Amino acid sequence: GIVFPYQPPRGQYRLNFHEAEQVCQDQGAILANFNQLFQAWSEGLDWCNAGWLADGTVQYPIRLPRKPCGGVHLAPGIRSYGPRHRHLHRFDAFCFSSALKGEVFYLDRLAGMTLEEAKQSCQDAGAEIARVGQLYSAWKFLGLDRCNAGWLADGSVRYPIVTPRANCGPAEPGVRSFGFPSKGRFGVFCYRER
């Protein structure tokens, strides 16, 4: 499976535990457990924002110790805030997906598309706009590699890179994010059941 950090459109640390469960479901995934997060960390996940796990704890994986992520003198590993109040405390989420039942594909127009045009383009192609979990799953399980940014169902713009190259972001594979642009014209990632 694959673990991916999720931050909602309204910004960092906005989700209580129950909202974190719901956003993972909305993205075609579930809240990750500690073993899944540990496995993702061992495969290279490095994320400085704390997120909910399925047991109600809040943790984050660090491969490269640095000042804003617990300090430079701590060893790499999973940083833990321990259990937190499930209604009152707010963090991001670590979501987990283990399967992809369909295909994710990219559509574009010369001038790009707004989010609404992107949703319609997927419908016209007999599909729906892809969710974040579906894009991460297509990247991890099917090797989806696209150096073109595309809309996703939550209003974010992202693209998956398997083979890092010039002008496609950092030197490591991963799903890159442009955040949640309020305007702009991009391609779109669509999802179709098999």
Side-chain angles (χ1 to χ4, degrees):
I2 183 163
V3 171
F4 59 94
Y6 191 82
Q7 189 176 92
R10 7 185 245 282
Q12 180 184 23
Y13 296 165
R14 300 294 177 113
L15 305 169
N16 70 28
F17 175 80
H18 305 289
E19 292 164 339
E21 282 184 315
Q22 186 61 52
V23 298
C24 288
Q25 287 177 15
D26 292 347
Q27 298 313 315
I30 59 172
L31 269 179
N33 65 38
F34 176 81
N35 290 338
Q36 292 159 345
L37 183 64
F38 184 84
Q39 179 67 34
W41 170 80
S42 72
E43 294 171 359
L45 183 61
D46 183 279
W47 197 258
C48 196
N49 294 351
W52 289 104
L53 295 181
D55 63 359
T57 61
V58 173
Q59 310 198 36
Y60 62 102
I62 295 297
R63 304 265 313 165
L64 178 65
R66 50 205 183 274
K67 198 171 206 163
C69 306
V72 292
H73 301 295
L74 289 176
I78 307 293
R79 310 273 193 260
S80 179
Y81 289 15
R84 291 293 181 222
H85 194 286
R86 293 179 183 217
H87 293 290
L88 298 179
H89 291 130
R90 297 188 170 275
F91 297 95
D92 294 340
F94 285 103
C95 303
F96 174 79
S97 177
S98 62
L100 186 65
K101 297 182 177 109
E103 65 170 332
V104 174
F105 58 95
Y106 183 80
L107 295 176
D108 201 4
R109 293 187 192 153
L110 199 55
M113 295 173 264
T114 65
L115 177 57
E116 291 310 311
E117 291 168 341
K119 288 177 182 175
Q120 188 61 51
S121 291
C122 288
Q123 287 179 357
D124 293 347
E128 62 187 29
I129 189 167
R131 297 187 254 174
V132 176
Q134 293 164 338
L135 183 67
Y136 270 92
S137 294
W139 167 73
K140 173 85 172 187
F141 307 138
L142 304 176
L144 183 63
D145 185 279
R146 188 82 202 203
C147 193
N148 304 84
W151 290 106
L152 293 174
D154 66 343
S156 65
V157 173
R158 303 173 195 244
Y159 64 100
I161 296 295
V162 172
T163 306
R165 52 204 180 271
N167 302 319
C168 293
E172 306 84 32
V175 174
R176 319 284 192 239
S177 177
F178 284 87
F180 298 87
S182 58
K183 55 185 186 270
R185 302 180 72 82
F186 303 93
V188 61
F189 288 97
C190 304
Y191 174 77
R192 184 188 295 130
E193 291 279 337
R194 284 197 191 115

